Amino acid sequence: MLDCVIIGGGPAGLNAALVMGRTGRKTILFDEDKPRNRVTQESHGFITQDGVKPSEFKKRARTDVQKYPSVSIKEERVEIIEKASGVFRIQTKGGTDYMAKKVLLATGLRDVLPEIPGIQNVYGTSVFSCPFCDGWEMRGKALAVIAENERAFHMGKLLSNWSGDVMVFTNGYQVLDEEKDILARQHVTVVEEKIEVKSKGGQLTSIRLQNGQEIKREAGIVVTDLVQSAPFAEQLGCEITPNGGIKVDSFGRTTVEGVYACGDTSLSTPSQLVIAAAEGNKAAAGVIMDLVEAAFLLEA
């Protein structure tokens, strides 16, 4: 019987595994190795790790975790998680079953890009999803915000922190009203025509409008839809928030006893490496506290 199974080997899952290891609890981390940031060249905003390649960060993190003998990492896909009689059965794609007292979901989110011609060619190289992660590298450039919903307003305002030349493209959707005037007062222009993204070697060169006009842009931010990467939370009956995240308390406890979630899965904070790692730490602490409390109840 395992104390905990962690699903997902990103910064949240790895930091949770580190905490579990340092408490000597028998834990398996399952990692399918399909991270959300696989298109990212560098990660930023994490003190001592600023500019690290995601692959190198993961390598270092695994080295830290593997110092602790109670934790193992398996590169397998989990297919089924079932709860019965207060414990969990976890089945992998290979058909192997594991039993665990607790399950920690760190499966993260998946970006769904808008259906705009050319957007795939620049995503992760010159067009990104987080200005806090990549804004510094785009500072002072001619920037584009590509957004098909009301988040265009928020992102247009935010990106102006890094450049005085920001244009918002809504790809034919009329999602802003008086907000256009507010943006215009800070010299942020809104373009509502259908667009195509033009690039060379992954580098954004211009935004082509439906009328044939091309507007030079050098980099930018695209607002993506975010969906859960795995169905386990809903299958287990965890409450989902209106924005699609998993409802958790301050220590990662979901609404289902014994199930925890951390990192991007909760959609409670900006998607940054340092925040995901911190949430993994807190969720693992929640697991440990609950395991200890349960042991004392058994003794009573």
Side-chain angles (χ1 to χ4, degrees):
M1 173 72 72
L2 297 165
D3 288 305
C4 184
V5 160
I6 301 170
I7 317 295
L14 284 163
N15 216 112
L18 179 65
V19 173
M20 295 302 297
R22 287 183 56 78
T23 58
R25 292 289 184 162
K26 194 173 181 182
T27 303
I28 293 179
L29 182 148
F30 290 99
D31 181 13
E32 194 183 6
D33 201 22
K34 292 184 178 179
R36 179 184 170 201
N37 67 354
R38 58 187 175 273
V39 300
T40 303
Q41 308 302 308
E42 295 180 348
S43 294
H44 296 280
F46 195 155
I47 195 72
T48 77
Q49 303 293 319
D50 193 54
V52 68
K53 292 183 181 298
S55 58
E56 179 61 24
F57 176 86
K58 190 168 189 174
K59 180 181 176 182
R60 295 177 193 172
R62 282 190 170 202
T63 298
D64 287 346
V65 170
Q66 288 167 339
K67 290 187 297 186
Y68 300 95
S70 67
V71 179
S72 59
I73 299 173
K74 295 185 180 294
E75 293 185 353
E76 297 181 60
R77 177 183 176 86
V78 172
E79 295 279 5
I80 299 171
I81 305 176
E82 295 177 334
K83 184 179 183 182
S85 302
V87 296
F88 297 89
R89 181 178 74 89
I90 297 92
Q91 186 177 85
T92 67
K93 187 176 182 179
T96 306
D97 281 0
Y98 299 87
M99 304 300 291
K101 299 174 185 176
K102 308 290 185 184
V103 169
L104 175 50
L105 301 176
T107 45
L109 301 169
R110 178 168 56 86
D111 287 297
V112 180
L113 292 169
E115 294 184 4
I116 296 172
I119 192 71
Q120 294 279 359
N121 298 331
V122 296
Y123 186 58
T125 53
S126 55
V127 173
F128 308 92
S129 60
C130 173
F132 290 106
C133 299
D134 298 288
W136 174 257
E137 285 68 33
M138 298 188 291
R139 67 194 186 281
K141 295 182 179 180
L143 302 183
V145 171
I146 300 171
E148 297 180 339
N149 55 39
E150 65 280 356
R151 289 166 64 196
F153 179 52
H154 167 73
M155 199 59 74
K157 290 191 296 182
L158 190 57
L159 200 57
S160 69
N161 180 78
W162 287 272
S163 174
D165 185 0
V166 176
M167 297 184 72
V168 175
F169 299 87
T170 65
N171 193 35
Y173 292 89
Q174 295 184 344
V175 293
L176 304 178
D177 192 2
E178 66 270 11
E179 296 92 344
K180 287 188 286 187
D181 293 331
I182 297 172
L183 290 171
R185 289 199 289 269
Q186 294 297 323
H187 311 291
V188 177
T189 303
V190 177
V191 178
E192 295 178 326
E193 288 192 48
K194 295 282 286 184
I195 63 172
E196 179 181 354
V197 173
K198 308 298 289 186
S199 63
K200 184 176 182 180
Q203 177 60 52
L204 176 65
T205 56
S206 64
I207 302 293
R208 182 181 175 87
L209 306 185
Q210 194 172 37
N211 63 12
Q213 180 186 0
E214 288 199 21
I215 300 174
K216 181 184 175 183
R217 296 288 95 181
E218 299 172 278
I221 293 292
V222 58
V223 173
T224 65
D225 287 330
L226 296 171
V227 297
Q228 294 289 332
S229 292
F232 303 128
E234 290 190 76
Q235 289 177 0
L236 289 164
C238 301
E239 184 177 343
I240 305 298
T241 64
N243 65 357
I246 303 169
K247 185 176 181 179
V248 295
D249 70 5
S250 58
F251 282 97
R253 301 178 183 94
T254 72
T255 53
V256 174
E257 186 176 356
V259 181
Y260 305 74
C262 61
D264 291 345
T265 54
S266 67
L267 274 171
S268 59
T269 55
S271 301
Q272 287 192 283
L273 201 69
V274 64
I275 296 174
E279 289 201 346
N281 186 299
K282 289 195 297 181
V287 171
I288 296 301
M289 288 189 289
D290 292 346
L291 286 169
V292 170
E293 286 296 326
F296 274 82
L297 287 174
L298 286 174
E299 293 293 328

